[in-house]
Amino acid sequence: MSFRTTASVDYVEDVSPGRGALPPRAWYASSDAKSLSLNGSWRFRLSATADGEDDSFAGEGYDPVAWAEVTVPGHWVLQGDGAFGSPIYTNHLYPFPVDPPHVPTENPTGDHLRVFDLPDDWPTEDDGGAVLRFDGVESCARVWLNGTELGEFKGSRLPHEFAVGQLLKPAGNVLAVRVHQWSAGSYLEDQDQWWLPGIFRDVTLLHRPAGAAGDFFVHASYDHTTGEGTLRVDSDVDGRVSVPGLDIDVATGEQVTVAVEPWSAETPKLYDGELVTAGERVPLRIGFRTVALEDGLIKVNGKAILFKGVNRHEWHPEQGRALDLETMREDVLLMKRHNLNAVRTSHYPPHPAFLDLCDEYGLWVIDECDLETHGFTEQGWRDNPVDDDRWTPALLDRAARMVERDKNHPSVVFWSLGNEAGTGRGLTAMAEWIHGRDSSRLVHYEGDWNCRDTDVYSRMYASHEEVERIGQGLDGGAGKRRELPFIQCEYGHAMGNGPGGIADYQRIFEAHDRLQGGFIWEWIDHGIKHPELGYAYGGDFGEELHDGNFVCDGLIFPDRTPSPGLVEYKKVIEPVRIEGDVADGTVRVTNAYDFADLSHLEFEFSYQVDGLPTGAHTLTVPPLAPGESAEVKLPAAVPDGNGDDVQWTVRALLAADTAWGSMGHEVAWGQETVTPRTAVTVAASQRPVPGERLLITLGPATFDARSGRPTTICGLDVTGLRLDVWRATTDNDDGASWQDDTRYGVLWRKLGLHRMQHRLDAVELADDALTVRTRVAPAAAEVGLRTVYRWTSDGTRVKLTVSVTPEGHWTVPLPRLGVRFGLPADAAQEVLYFGGGGEAYPDTRAASMLGQWLPSIDALHTPYVRPQENGARADVRWAELGGLRVEGDPEFWFSARRWTNEQLDAARHLTDLTPGDTLWINLDHGQHGIGSQSCGPGPLPQYFLKAEPTEFSFVFSTTG
Ligand code: IPT
């Protein structure tokens, strides 16, 4: 039965969703019907084209002797050490000519083969049938069982089932699956992610006993005025529904109303139930909640909610989008532990087990359809499949497969039509079908700002100013949109260092009812583990077109370590506000939850002097209801200490273990300074003394007489001390290529701030100071910074005062402003400092908690996948390393690294950074804000580091 015709692969370029598959239905794990996982090792053969091999492999008796092996679920390009091709990363460009529905002749095609036996206890043929389920295959599959073709399908992140009962044998079943990387479906799957072909989700054989449940729809609403829930389970096959915890036992289709505890993301109460039909028992996890658009607001259980969300792609640095349950659980736990309450499943329905976890732990979900046609923007959206009736069946098929699969999850509150697909009749058809099928949820789509088909006005990356205007209802827009609530389905682009400015967004969201929060872009960096590069990104596999590290823009690193961005977000969205009123000795505690009271938290209070806590007290806070505040008296008198730099800190901690966090887990905190610090003073009592070998001595420091630069300070060798204005530009400094002339990373480099020349004008010795006069400026420019270093000493300490006066016409802010110097590499392994803990920049400093910290030098480096400026510590009063103490007046930004800023700037991957023989220290008076311009607005004006006359100083002494 071998043949080879071009006709045999016509289905690949067919716009239809496929043929042979069963209608979509709810996804569930039966209690008693047997199932057989077909995950594991499969035989595998790769062809360069869709018709490279005939289909004889699907027949019985075929011997795949020369075939390789792959693991299912998996992507073949991530297996076989490069023998099976490579991943491709593009943001929105199709990696093939745009000529829908045609795809390239070179169409990597993976034949997969698996022989399996039925377990001994598998029911016999007359006891019902069986279906074969594929939970996800990219992008088009053709399936045979025991030589019989079952059909073919597209819709990569959607389930497809085939009836196979008649074909099964007790032993030696041959399952053959041909997977094409490119198909007409690829035009609908232009999400910003790696193109990764393969059978990447589970393959399962499910026994379907006679009288099995089939499809069912759990309707479980909640009436907040009565406290009652109403349950009705509609089922294709009649049966009974029981919920023991509620004494419910009713027929399918029958409605029952009883008092219940409602489900919410904060209080995810699920009732265990069961659907029993003649042939099957199906476990149910029922959450009662009502989602409604009311008074122009998204309300759940009668209450407007605020999304504190994130966009989640499925990602694992080695498995790609083939995630195991533990990885999914890790995502949910990390989200819950960082105060997130919502997920948008950008930009496709996730593995269904992820939604089980959202039900269980409590997260609001925007379930998004597997649809994006972004690449058509290159041609002004001409030929866009969502506006072409020929594609509508495929769109409806995708909508139905999502809704039917996921309809029984209480966590899903919105259906999203897809992402970045322009506008068109196909979207309207999807929305109409969804609204008709499920009136218990709302519909989202960002791409149509007139909201023709949607129940919410959604935008991405709108500026603070615009969001504020929308909040005030001053955004204009057509009739319907004006009535709708607003969310940012994407904002705060977490690429590299950042996002900046999210605290400012949160303030705006909370100030206007119409603004119901947002979703940070995005959850995880899609870096691919790579033997030489650490983590690979676009271009690292030699792709013809790619978008570099735009694919590494998550709040967690590829290995799921939280980045400083996630820590910042956790603080910004904390569900309890703790603010002090120093004058009247009270702390104001506000419950910012939508549903929960504060009885699950306990509050701990402490003062700290010079950054060290003086003992903890319990703060008794009433169990405030959502929205309520209380003024609580401080439980202890301000400690005497040395009189200065005293703060109090209040922490809200879990009072007992919860499903997602252990007792003592910190949920929120607040801190206030009670007694401000007084800066150290140094009497300029010493005279600089010229000595031998052109050295000048001033107190505990020596200087090179020609350059005026220190050579030792307090006995430690010091090199290269000078003004530093450069930082290795962040992704947010560099901005996105399509943005305008405010991309300061680009402008700074153009001006030459990375190659400043330091002209020495004078080294002056006076009775009380050594003064070094310089001008710091880039070649070819008229702008410059007149910089004076003034050194004074009282004999044991030496003080550096830096005065900077800009000259010329400065049109850009400065990246940073401070001094840098080198110490011997072995001078220090760690630094003790009093200042803000964790990385911080002017607009990413909400989570920076004052205290004494002792990080290792290595821990001061934040491993952004593409190296860039990182690791600054804010509000540093003093720092000690290698026996040297530095005190700042005023407080300063501290950084230390084992390479220069220039080396950091040049590095493309973490593996390009190797420690040298110098430890480089930056003591900065200022840093420019971070913003979100890698895909969004830059820093707000208040976070600009303006070039203006500035003076700051540091006092150096020996520690101890
Ligand atoms: C927006 C996309 O929706 C998202 O998938 C991702 O690409 C993000 O940007 C950037 O990382 S589209 C944007 C160009 C407005």
Side-chain angles (χ1 to χ4, degrees):
M1 61 182 242
S2 128
F3 55 87
R4 182 186 294 216
T5 68
T6 42
S8 68
V9 293
D10 281 354
Y11 63 93
V12 172
E13 296 185 332
D14 185 345
V15 299
S16 86
R19 71 198 153 81
L22 293 165
R25 64 182 183 120
W27 196 99
Y28 63 88
S30 181
S31 302
D32 52 2
K34 298 265 179 261
S35 69
L36 176 65
S37 169
L38 297 173
N39 294 348
S41 185
W42 289 48
R43 302 305 294 272
F44 178 75
R45 172 181 67 184
L46 185 64
S47 313
T49 60
D51 62 355
E53 298 283 350
D54 63 32
D55 55 13
S56 56
F57 79 106
E60 287 173 274
Y62 181 86
D63 184 2
V65 65
W67 287 33
E69 289 190 7
V70 289
T71 300
V72 170
H75 307 277
W76 70 71
V77 291
L78 296 182
Q79 303 186 46
D81 289 325
F84 307 145
S86 302
I88 299 171
Y89 168 56
T90 57
N91 165 14
H92 75 279
L93 297 178
Y94 289 104
F96 47 78
V98 181
D99 182 23
H102 303 292
V103 295
T105 302
E106 289 191 19
N107 187 357
T109 292
D111 288 333
H112 295 67
L113 205 51
R114 163 92 197 229
V115 179
F116 64 94
D117 299 339
L118 294 178
D120 292 342
D121 59 353
W122 193 267
T124 53
E125 205 185 295
D126 42 341
D127 186 14
V131 303
L132 180 63
R133 184 175 68 202
F134 295 89
D135 284 318
V137 182
E138 181 168 330
S139 81
C140 171
R142 187 174 176 193
V143 189
W144 297 261
L145 182 64
N146 294 332
T148 301
E149 184 174 349
L150 301 176
E152 97 281 323
F153 64 89
K154 308 182 187 84
S156 298
R157 298 105 203 172
L158 293 163
H160 294 86
E161 287 182 324
F162 296 92
V164 294
Q166 306 309 311
L167 300 173
L168 287 172
K169 312 184 291 189
N173 293 286
V174 178
L175 176 58
V177 186
R178 171 164 286 173
V179 181
H180 306 285
Q181 170 154 23
W182 309 121
S183 69
S186 305
Y187 283 97
L188 304 181
E189 295 174 5
D190 191 24
Q191 292 94 342
D192 174 11
Q193 60 179 349
W194 295 97
W195 298 90
L196 294 177
I199 305 175
F200 72 97
R201 285 187 191 156
D202 312 281
V203 182
T204 317
L205 182 68
L206 303 162
H207 179 234
R208 302 284 67 219
D215 189 25
F216 59 91
F217 197 161
V218 176
H219 304 276
S221 60
Y222 180 73
D223 182 342
H224 66 280
T225 62
T226 63
E228 289 175 325
T230 297
L231 176 69
R232 192 187 77 236
V233 179
D234 293 334
S235 174
D236 282 2
V237 175
D238 290 345
R240 289 201 74 77
V241 176
S242 61
V243 186
L246 294 171
D247 281 334
I248 290 177
D249 183 0
V250 292
T252 52
E254 190 182 322
Q255 186 156 303
V256 54
T257 299
V258 294
V260 299
E261 272 178 58
W263 187 96
S264 77
E266 294 167 8
T267 55
K269 174 68 187 172
L270 291 176
Y271 289 94
D272 286 322
E274 198 174 37
L275 163 64
V276 182
T277 62
E280 188 176 23
R281 313 178 81 88
V282 179
L284 305 176
R285 304 209 79 191
I286 302 166
F288 291 88
R289 92 262 172 293
T290 292
V291 183
L293 185 63
E294 228 175 73
D295 312 321
L297 297 173
I298 303 157
K299 291 193 183 173
V300 179
N301 301 335
K303 185 114 206 327
I305 57 171
L306 188 62
F307 290 120
K308 299 169 174 176
V310 72
N311 284 277
R312 175 181 178 271
H313 267 288
E314 294 181 311
W315 190 250
H316 184 282
E318 285 156 286
Q319 315 300 337
R321 288 188 285 275
L323 262 55
D324 61 17
L325 183 62
E326 282 325 299
T327 304
M328 296 183 227
R329 190 187 306 276
E330 203 180 329
D331 280 350
V332 170
L333 291 177
L334 274 170
M335 288 178 191
K336 292 294 288 184
R337 289 173 188 158
H338 288 87
N339 293 333
L340 280 86
N341 72 3
V343 192
R344 173 176 176 234
T345 71
S346 54
H347 299 302
Y348 41 82
H351 189 289
F354 179 75
L355 298 177
D356 287 336
L357 296 168
C358 293
D359 294 343
E360 181 181 331
Y361 292 98
L363 288 167
W364 307 119
V365 175
I366 298 185
D367 194 357
E368 191 151 273
C369 200
D370 190 3
L371 173 63
E372 173 157 344
T373 62
H374 206 166
F376 286 87
T377 188
E378 294 293 310
Q379 55 200 55
W381 296 102
R382 182 170 45 76
D383 295 337
N384 185 2
V386 310
D387 201 23
D388 177 338
D389 293 339
R390 287 172 295 180
W391 291 85
T392 303
L395 303 182
L396 289 172
D397 180 74
R398 284 169 189 249
R401 286 187 189 281
M402 168 180 72
V403 171
E404 301 301 359
R405 191 194 75 167
D406 296 341
K407 60 184 179 286
N408 294 326
H409 290 283
S411 55
V412 175
V413 292
F414 267 96
W415 300 116
S416 178
L417 304 181
N419 184 59
E420 292 280 12
T423 55
R425 305 190 291 281
L427 291 167
T428 301
M430 290 171 82
E432 281 173 358
W433 183 86
I434 293 173
H435 275 128
R437 174 66 177 142
D438 180 16
S439 57
S440 72
R441 294 178 175 94
L442 305 176
V443 169
H444 169 269
Y445 176 64
E446 188 274 345
D448 175 14
W449 296 2
N450 292 324
C451 306
R452 186 187 196 293
D453 306 313
T454 64
D455 302 310
V456 62
Y457 177 29
S458 174
R459 290 279 303 279
M460 46 174 78
Y461 311 105
S463 68
H464 297 81
E465 195 197 348
E466 183 175 10
V467 173
E468 173 97 61
R469 268 203 316 275
I470 295 169
Q472 294 167 343
L474 301 177
D475 58 306
K480 181 182 170 200
R481 171 172 115 193
R482 299 191 58 79
E483 307 302 313
L484 294 180
F486 175 83
I487 62 169
Q488 285 243 75
C489 68
E490 294 178 23
Y491 80 109
H493 199 247
M495 185 178 179
N497 187 337
I502 56 175
D504 304 279
Y505 275 114
Q506 194 64 24
R507 271 191 287 277
I508 301 170
F509 293 156
E510 291 179 10
H512 304 280
D513 290 345
R514 186 187 185 194
L515 309 180
Q516 295 198 261
F519 296 77
I520 296 286
W521 186 268
E522 69 174 304
W523 177 240
I524 186 169
D525 288 339
H526 313 207
I528 295 179
K529 200 161 170 115
H530 189 284
E532 284 92 44
L533 302 174
Y535 290 110
Y537 50 78
D540 290 335
F541 298 99
E543 300 105 294
E544 190 174 307
L545 290 178
H546 68 82
D547 287 288
N549 66 315
F550 203 63
V551 78
C552 290
D553 51 1
L555 292 174
I556 59 177
F557 295 115
D559 67 358
R560 292 191 149 67
T561 311
S563 85
L566 182 58
V567 179
E568 172 81 359
Y569 195 38
K570 175 188 179 187
K571 175 74 176 112
V572 163
I573 58 178
E574 60 190 3
V576 185
R577 298 280 178 229
I578 300 165
E579 297 135 330
D581 189 331
V582 177
D584 74 353
T586 61
V587 47
R588 187 181 181 79
V589 179
T590 305
N591 178 349
Y593 285 104
D594 290 327
F595 297 93
D597 67 22
L598 299 188
S599 56
H600 63 293
L601 299 175
E602 60 191 16
F603 292 78
E604 196 186 272
F605 175 93
S606 65
Y607 283 110
Q608 64 182 20
V609 177
D610 200 25
L612 287 179
T614 61
H617 308 263
T618 301
L619 189 74
T620 311
V621 175
L624 301 169
E628 279 182 3
S629 294
E631 309 274 341
V632 184
K633 210 96 218 103
L634 300 185
V638 182
D640 277 345
N642 298 320
D644 69 355
D645 225 350
V646 180
Q647 285 84 30
W648 59 247
T649 309
V650 172
R651 300 162 191 265
L653 312 171
L654 285 182
D657 291 351
T658 67
W660 50 264
S662 18
M663 186 173 116
H665 166 85
E666 185 179 282
V667 171
W669 58 274
Q671 191 173 57
E672 291 290 335
T673 293
V674 188
T675 319
R677 109 183 235 264
T678 45
V680 57
T681 53
V682 175
S685 61
Q686 300 293 301
R687 206 160 57 84
V689 185
E692 285 175 20
R693 282 178 290 136
L694 290 169
L695 282 182
I696 300 170
T697 304
L698 175 64
T702 55
F703 296 83
D704 178 289
R706 283 165 304 196
S707 67
R709 285 196 184 146
T711 51
T712 65
I713 299 180
C714 299
L716 209 56
D717 288 342
V718 171
T719 53
L721 189 148
R722 65 183 204 193
L723 192 81
D724 196 3
V725 297
W726 184 246
R727 71 182 184 195
T729 54
T730 65
D731 293 313
N732 283 315
D733 289 336
D734 292 335
S737 55
W738 63 84
Q739 279 164 341
D740 58 7
D741 54 359
T742 62
R743 298 189 291 140
Y744 288 119
V746 175
L747 297 177
W748 291 334
R749 216 176 283 273
K750 205 167 147 200
L751 183 60
L753 298 188
H754 60 307
R755 49 173 169 78
M756 297 293 259
Q757 298 184 8
H758 295 248
R759 189 184 75 211
L760 178 64
D761 290 339
V763 177
E764 298 167 357
L765 276 65
D767 279 353
D768 60 350
L770 166 69
T771 303
V772 182
R773 299 184 188 281
T774 67
R775 188 175 188 276
V776 182
E782 52 99 30
V783 295
L785 301 168
R786 218 163 267 275
T787 304
V788 179
Y789 308 82
R790 184 165 191 271
W791 296 89
T792 55
S793 174
D794 63 1
T796 53
R797 300 176 292 181
V798 60
K799 176 175 180 177
L800 165 65
T801 302
V802 183
S803 315
V804 180
T805 314
E807 293 179 342
H809 181 53
W810 281 86
T811 54
V812 294
L814 297 170
R816 67 159 12 111
L817 183 67
V819 294
R820 81 165 194 200
F821 56 92
L823 298 176
D826 58 3
Q829 300 303 325
E830 55 190 23
V831 50
L832 177 70
Y833 73 93
F834 175 22
E839 178 183 290
Y841 289 84
D843 54 350
T844 62
R845 63 191 294 171
S848 170
M849 183 194 267
L850 289 176
Q852 276 195 30
W853 305 93
L854 182 65
S856 68
I857 300 293
D858 294 337
L860 288 173
H861 173 66
T862 310
Y864 295 115
V865 172
R866 185 190 71 81
Q868 53 197 277
E869 166 66 23
N870 71 80
R873 299 302 193 261
D875 297 316
V876 177
R877 282 84 164 128
W878 54 259
E880 295 181 354
L881 74 171
L884 188 68
R885 179 179 170 95
V886 190
E887 286 171 82
D889 181 14
E891 293 81 7
F892 60 99
W893 303 84
F894 178 87
S895 320
R897 50 180 61 98
R898 299 200 176 277
W899 34 81
T900 61
N901 291 329
E902 289 72 18
Q903 287 164 332
L904 185 63
D905 201 13
R908 290 193 64 246
H909 293 92
L910 285 166
T911 46
D912 294 336
L913 293 171
T914 44
D917 55 10
T918 304
L919 172 60
W920 289 100
I921 311 295
N922 274 91
L923 309 176
D924 288 311
H925 177 65
Q927 278 272 359
H928 186 61
I930 295 293
S932 190
Q933 212 170 0
S934 55
C935 187
L940 289 167
Q942 61 266 37
Y943 305 118
F944 274 46
L945 178 59
K946 293 200 196 88
E948 59 194 10
T950 310
E951 189 172 283
F952 51 93
S953 56
F954 304 103
V955 174
F956 299 89
S957 59
T958 305
T959 56

